[in-house]
Amino acid sequence: MALATDFLEDVGPKKLGWCFNVYLIRLREEPDKNNEEKINSIDMVIQDIKGSIPDSLFKQWRGELE
């Protein structure tokens, strides 16, 4: 039985569990400046099957996106 998947545009505060089927477009690991072997952060660009972010969702998250 296939799991029902959610779309990125449907993310909101009323649901805690999500099931996404996404493509990983870009991945960048930022090493810790004190220890090069340790990862400080990971930045990912993901895309779901719809392929675009609606303007209303982009405006809502614009301050958080780089």
Side-chain angles (χ1 to χ4, degrees), residues 24-57:
L24 181 61
I25 305 299
R26 186 176 301 130
L27 175 71
R28 182 178 67 112
E29 295 177 349
E30 184 69 31
D32 185 33
K33 56 185 165 183
N34 297 322
N35 182 356
E36 291 286 323
E37 295 179 9
K38 197 173 186 183
I39 297 172
N40 188 42
S41 67
I42 297 175
D43 297 323
M44 293 187 296
V45 176
I46 57 175
Q47 177 180 345
D48 66 14
I49 198 163
K50 288 187 176 182
S52 62
I53 301 173
D55 286 341
S56 60
L57 188 62

Side-chain angles (χ1 to χ4, degrees), residues 2 5 7 12 15 21 23 27 32 52 58-59 63:
T5 57
F7 295 107
K15 185 175 177 183
N21 188 7
Y23 299 99
L27 175 71
D32 185 33
S52 62
F58 181 75
K59 288 175 185 175

